[in-house]
Amino acid sequence: MKDNVFGKTLKQLRTEQKLSQRQLGEKIGFCNQTISFWESGGREPDLDALVKISKYFEVSVDFLLGLSEC
């Protein structure tokens, strides 16, 4: 994803809720290394992961990808 918009957005949402990468991973079913890779842009989430994240944070997938503002 261009400029790692997803990773920056994920980190912002996570830190706003005062969650560690490990805590977020436990809540959505991924290991903390996966969360770290997503935030750093080392890997991109698949569609199922995007849906889990959007539901957890109550935002749209478009928002996570930087395609909308909410």
Side-chain angles (χ1 to χ4, degrees), residues 1-2 5 14 16 25 30 33 38 41 59-60 69:
M1 286 169 227
K2 186 177 178 184
V5 172
R14 179 180 61 78
E16 284 174 359
F30 296 93
Q33 290 93 344
W38 290 341
V59 297
S60 69
E69 294 187 19

Side-chain angles (χ1 to χ4, degrees), residues 10-26:
L10 178 62
K11 185 173 184 176
Q12 178 183 354
L13 291 168
R14 179 180 61 78
T15 57
E16 284 174 359
Q17 292 198 9
K18 298 179 174 42
L19 295 170
S20 68
Q21 291 175 340
R22 180 175 306 276
Q23 290 169 324
L24 176 59
E26 288 171 357

Side-chain angles (χ1 to χ4, degrees), residues 37-49:
F37 281 131
W38 290 341
E39 288 184 357
S40 69
R43 291 190 190 152
E44 295 179 353
D46 63 17
L47 182 57
D48 290 336

Side-chain angles (χ1 to χ4, degrees), residues 22-68:
R22 180 175 306 276
Q23 290 169 324
L24 176 59
E26 288 171 357
K27 291 180 184 293
I28 62 172
F30 296 93
C31 67
N32 63 306
Q33 290 93 344
T34 300
I35 305 297
S36 176
F37 281 131
W38 290 341
E39 288 184 357
S40 69
R43 291 190 190 152
E44 295 179 353
D46 63 17
L47 182 57
D48 290 336
L50 284 171
V51 171
K52 283 184 180 182
I53 295 164
S54 71
K55 286 182 178 180
Y56 179 78
F57 287 112
E58 298 180 347
V59 297
S60 69
V61 171
D62 283 354
F63 176 78
L64 291 173
L65 299 176
L67 302 174
S68 74

